[in-house]
Amino acid sequence: MKTTEVRRRFLPAPWSIMLIYSSTPERAVVGHVRVRSVQRMTADALWSSRGDRTLLSRAELDSYAGDRTTLHAIDVEDPVTWATPIPLTMMRAMFGFNPPQNVARLSTEIAKKMIAIGNGY
């Protein structure tokens, strides 16, 4: 099970919930996870401490890192797959939101509404 997400760039804390957007083929927010910790580290340190939790091969991690000297290891837990994914068209219409290439911070109000819709409330 993947419990560490790897990012080249990441917004600073505070984080508690991270929504999961699936770009292909769904093009929808499909669930959320609780963020346990975010640490900035070298690819070598990340591989040594969390490589098995990323579901990446070492070659994939190195390719993703490119020329970056550090990466962000986002340790997550309590994954929830939503009964009702929120498609990109609905996110744009209801919230004026376009998913970024990397990460974006949502207001607590929008995040709560999206989680409620996704959970069928």
Side-chain angles (χ1 to χ4, degrees):
M1 176 192 289
K2 181 177 182 176
T3 58
T4 299
E5 179 69 23
V6 179
R7 290 284 171 229
R8 290 184 289 243
R9 290 179 288 158
F10 199 68
L11 295 173
W15 287 93
S16 58
I17 299 291
M18 189 165 69
L19 303 181
I20 307 299
Y21 178 76
S22 177
S23 57
T24 304
E26 293 88 355
R27 295 179 51 121
V29 176
V30 297
H32 66 276
V33 293
R34 192 164 71 83
V35 176
R36 188 175 51 207
S37 68
V38 178
Q39 295 184 8
R40 190 173 177 184
M41 59 183 65
T42 66
D44 286 339
L46 194 152
W47 185 254
S48 295
S49 65
R50 295 168 172 81
D52 61 330
R53 294 185 264 164
T54 65
L55 298 187
L56 298 170
S57 69
R58 179 62 203 243
E60 289 169 325
L61 179 68
D62 289 343
S63 176
Y64 179 73
D67 61 355
R68 299 265 179 183
T69 57
T70 59
L71 297 169
H72 292 85
I74 308 157
D75 295 319
V76 300
E77 58 192 2
D78 303 329
V80 176
T81 301
W82 293 351
T84 309
I86 302 177
L88 179 59
T89 53
M90 182 185 285
M91 285 188 295
R92 287 179 175 150
M94 291 183 70
F95 306 109
F97 180 73
N98 284 309
Q101 290 295 315
N102 187 18
V103 67
R105 183 168 290 160
L106 296 175
S107 72
T108 301
E109 179 183 343
I110 289 176
K112 284 181 179 180
K113 285 179 183 178
M114 290 178 78
I115 291 170
I117 292 168
N119 284 321
Y121 300 123

